Amino acid sequence: MIKVQTQDFNIAEEYALLSDNNQTDGAVVFFVGLVRDFNQNSQIKSLTLEHYPAMTDKVLTRLEQQAKTRWPVNRVAIVHRVGELNLSEQIVFVGVTSPHRDAAFEAAQFIMDQLKTRAPFWKKEQTMQGEHWVDAKDSDEQAAKAWNNS
């Protein structure tokens, strides 16, 4: 299940979609990313996320398929918000189910690491000094590349 949307998401509802009527999986792992107030030496006031819909859907679908190929994963949920987001608002939900926790944790981590570098989302931060587009961090690039070597 992949959703890119402007409206907020409900964690309990997303969890229910992963766990309801699911007797085969013993693990549900999820991650929620929030807008924080500080990034790269700047005080953040808000964040604007833009994307290219057709390309975004393809990349997120490919990430879901790759996770299901690499690990015994049954259900995957990726919800990513776009538009203007204020401090503490939810940005992303990644949820994974698997018969065992190790696979669920690894698949969720893989999806997030790849999403940060491969999905065509563009972030603009509004700061006290003005606004600017955010480049991918080297640490995110390194985390994504590490999966290619494992």
Side-chain angles (χ1 to χ4, degrees), residues 14-28:
E14 299 304 329
Y15 173 79
L17 290 171
L18 292 168
S19 60
D20 285 356
N21 299 313
N22 185 352
Q23 291 88 34
T24 61
D25 294 326
V28 178

Side-chain angles (χ1 to χ4, degrees), residues 12 20 27 37 41 44 48 56 68 76 107 110-111 136 147:
D20 285 356
D37 68 349
N41 301 318
I44 307 301
T48 302
T56 304
K68 286 182 173 183
V76 174
F110 168 82
I111 292 169
W147 291 105

Side-chain angles (χ1 to χ4, degrees), residues 73-137:
V73 169
N74 292 311
R75 295 183 185 179
V76 174
I78 303 171
V79 182
H80 205 296
R81 294 184 62 202
V82 293
E84 187 168 343
L85 303 174
N86 295 308
L87 297 179
S88 300
E89 285 194 73
Q90 300 177 135
I91 303 169
V92 62
F93 176 96
V94 171
V96 176
T97 71
S98 178
H100 304 286
R101 71 179 180 274
D102 288 345
F105 276 113
E106 288 180 16
Q109 182 73 45
F110 168 82
I111 292 169
M112 272 309 304
D113 286 346
Q114 298 299 314
L115 190 151
K116 294 276 288 182
T117 58
R118 291 179 41 202
F121 290 103
W122 297 279
K123 291 195 291 188
K124 185 191 305 181
E125 292 176 338
Q126 289 75 36
T127 70
M128 302 300 181
Q129 296 77 32
E131 59 185 34
H132 63 273
W133 292 100
V134 179
D135 293 326
K137 291 192 271 183

